[in-house]
Amino acid sequence: MNKSALNTASIARLLLLLLMAVPFGLATSNVIDNINDWRFSGAMLSVARASIAAANVGHLALFAGGRLQNGTYTDVVDIYNRKTKKWTTSHLSKARSEIGAGSVGSRYALFAGGFDSMFRPMSLVDVYDAETEKWTSIHLKTPRASPRLISLGSSTAVIGGLSGDLQYLSNAVDFVDSKLSVFSTSLQSPYPQLGLALSDVSSETGLYTSGYQNNRPGERFNDFEPSNQTVVFGAPTNLVAGPIFPYPRWGAGGAATNGVFVVGGGHLFANGTGESLLTDRVDIFHASSQQWSSQPLKLSVPRDYPLVQVVGDYIVFLSGTDKSKDLDIFDTQACRFVSNDRHAPALYTLRSDAAATTIDGCLLMVAGGSVYQGRNTTASVEMFDACHV
């Protein structure tokens, strides 16, 4: 791989080939367009916990590991089957928290890295096979916690994370393919970055952007700043430097579909006071132009570390605020937010440090987390069903 940043033409060629590979809108036929008609229901995890890793594969949602009320880590995995509407439980091979989660195709769910009970980053990847209903394990080349995963269809990129050494943030990248083989490389930025991973599964593309970076890697004292670095990922193992992120900030969330990558919320620190200033800003990257939009949009309220999921053509922002239980819903076809004047759909319980995933592109699930301003963990699950059948 060429270590130098590739030019705009290179990015354009990569994205054009990837976007032509799969037509847009594949997941929308099963989705109810009118958001007020989405059905709400609740459930409970087997164990209350926060910092859960969530993934979907086939017709399943898996909620793995996490931190219990007493601060210890768990190996419990709660599995929900959308077709049978039943829950089962399983276990990771090691109890841990701060796990990266994603999937390879429609068969394997990946639970990568994390911290063990001694707060050491791990290389372990627990793999759930939805066809055989069995677990196996593989290993990352570099141990790390909180890695970010970009699903690219035929492969998945496991990117960055907390390294546990003087560099603090990792630039390591491991690609896991459909045979569970691992190909290792690294980001070529001089500043290691813990970014935001956005997957557009329909086009097998992804962005790694925003978050924060360490301007003094390897030194005794770190220098963290919001990052403007962007890397464009493509199947099976492609990565190139992309256009800079226009408004660097901490704590943003995002998702992508139909070639539209949406990043919203987050915070900055006020000069002098260090006060955290939340933002409602939304930035949009269009794969067709390979550019960030020059006209940012706004969420209905500022959100910090929001949960963001794709439901059909919609990108849904939820949580990340104590000001509102409403969902902010962005229509990628119209490139605008949908009016939610009826305050439905909306969360029933305000929570932070929760997990979210979407089964079959139409059943959004929010699970666990901390409630009552972080005093307690919860086992509650909220489900927003936009499925036609």
Side-chain angles (χ1 to χ4, degrees), residues 9 14 23 36 60 65 67 86 91 107 109 112 145 197 237 252 263 277 342 344 368 377:
L14 170 62
N36 299 134
L60 306 178
R67 174 177 46 80
K86 293 182 178 180
H91 296 272
R107 179 171 181 177
T237 59
V263 177
L277 304 175
R342 292 176 56 184
T377 56

Side-chain angles (χ1 to χ4, degrees), residues 148 150 159 193-198 207-212 231 245 251-255 262-264 306 308:
R148 306 324 199 202
I150 290 180
I159 311 162
Q193 174 187 10
L194 186 62
L196 184 66
L198 292 76
L207 287 188
Y208 187 64
T209 190
S210 187
Y212 65 98
V231 179
F245 184 62
V262 182
V263 177
V308 191

Side-chain angles (χ1 to χ4, degrees), residues 118-133:
M118 300 298 291
F119 207 65
R120 295 172 299 199
M122 303 177 69
S123 64
L124 175 66
V125 181
D126 283 311
V127 182
Y128 181 79
D129 186 335
E131 291 187 6
T132 65
E133 300 182 354

Side-chain angles (χ1 to χ4, degrees), residues 50-345:
S51 299
I52 305 168
N56 67 85
V57 62
H59 302 301
L60 306 178
L62 298 92
F63 300 94
R67 174 177 46 80
L68 302 177
Q69 178 70 35
N70 64 7
T72 61
Y73 298 157
T74 180
D75 63 0
V76 169
V77 182
D78 290 288
I79 305 173
Y80 179 74
N81 187 315
R82 187 179 80 85
K83 291 299 185 182
T84 65
K85 302 188 185 322
K86 293 182 178 180
W87 288 88
T88 56
T89 58
S90 187
H91 296 272
L92 300 171
S93 61
K94 298 285 185 181
R96 58 198 196 275
S97 186
E98 314 303 330
I99 306 166
S103 61
V104 180
S106 60
R107 179 171 181 177
Y108 297 113
L110 307 179
F111 298 96
F115 283 124
D116 66 12
S117 60
M118 300 298 291
F119 207 65
R120 295 172 299 199
M122 303 177 69
S123 64
L124 175 66
V125 181
D126 283 311
V127 182
Y128 181 79
D129 186 335
E131 291 187 6
T132 65
E133 300 182 354
K134 294 182 179 180
W135 291 89
T136 187
S137 63
I138 57 178
H139 287 269
L140 306 173
K141 181 179 180 181
T142 304
R144 50 201 196 272
S146 298
R148 306 324 199 202
L149 273 68
I150 290 180
S151 297
L152 300 167
S154 60
S155 65
T156 293
V158 184
I159 311 162
L162 306 175
S163 60
D165 56 20
L166 285 177
Q167 184 161 305
Y168 193 79
L169 304 180
S170 175
N171 262 346
V173 179
D174 291 289
F175 288 94
V176 182
D177 67 16
S178 59
K179 296 181 180 180
L180 301 183
S181 299
V182 179
F183 168 74
S184 300
T185 183
S186 64
L187 303 175
Q188 298 305 314
S189 165
Y191 304 117
Q193 174 187 10
L194 186 62
L196 184 66
L198 292 76
S199 304
D200 184 6
V201 178
S202 65
S203 61
E204 298 188 346
T205 60
L207 287 188
Y208 187 64
T209 190
S210 187
Y212 65 98
Q213 65 191 40
N214 184 5
N215 291 337
R216 295 181 178 177
E219 297 186 21
R220 181 178 179 184
F221 298 103
N222 296 304
D223 179 15
F224 297 126
E225 287 188 359
S227 181
N228 65 1
Q229 300 174 133
T230 298
V231 179
V232 181
F233 281 77
T237 59
N238 298 312
L239 63 159
V240 297
I244 64 171
F245 184 62
Y247 190 72
R249 57 202 188 264
W250 312 74
T257 190
N258 294 337
V260 180
F261 296 75
V262 182
V263 177
H267 69 273
L268 295 171
F269 292 109
N271 291 332
T273 66
E275 178 185 1
S276 180
L277 304 175
L278 274 61
T279 180
D280 58 6
R281 179 176 170 127
V282 175
D283 292 288
I284 302 172
F285 177 88
H286 295 277
S288 58
S289 65
Q290 306 94 50
Q291 296 294 328
W292 292 98
S293 173
S294 60
Q295 298 295 325
L297 301 178
K298 290 185 177 182
L299 301 168
S300 61
V301 293
R303 299 179 186 269
D304 202 21
Y305 297 102
L307 299 172
V308 191
Q309 289 291 303
V310 172
V311 179
D313 288 330
Y314 298 121
I315 293 176
V316 181
F317 288 80
L318 63 161
S319 191
T321 177
D322 58 3
K323 306 298 183 184
S324 174
K325 295 181 180 180
D326 290 353
L327 278 57
D328 283 319
I329 301 176
F330 182 84
D331 185 339
T332 59
Q333 297 286 6
C335 236
R336 62 176 178 83
F337 280 96
V338 177
S339 174
N340 194 8
D341 293 339
R342 292 176 56 184
H343 306 289

Side-chain angles (χ1 to χ4, degrees), residues 27-47:
T28 61
S29 60
N30 193 35
V31 172
I32 298 171
D33 287 333
N34 187 343
I35 64 171
N36 299 134
D37 292 335
W38 294 3
R39 300 174 295 274
F40 177 85
S41 61
M44 300 292 286
L45 300 173
S46 62
V47 179

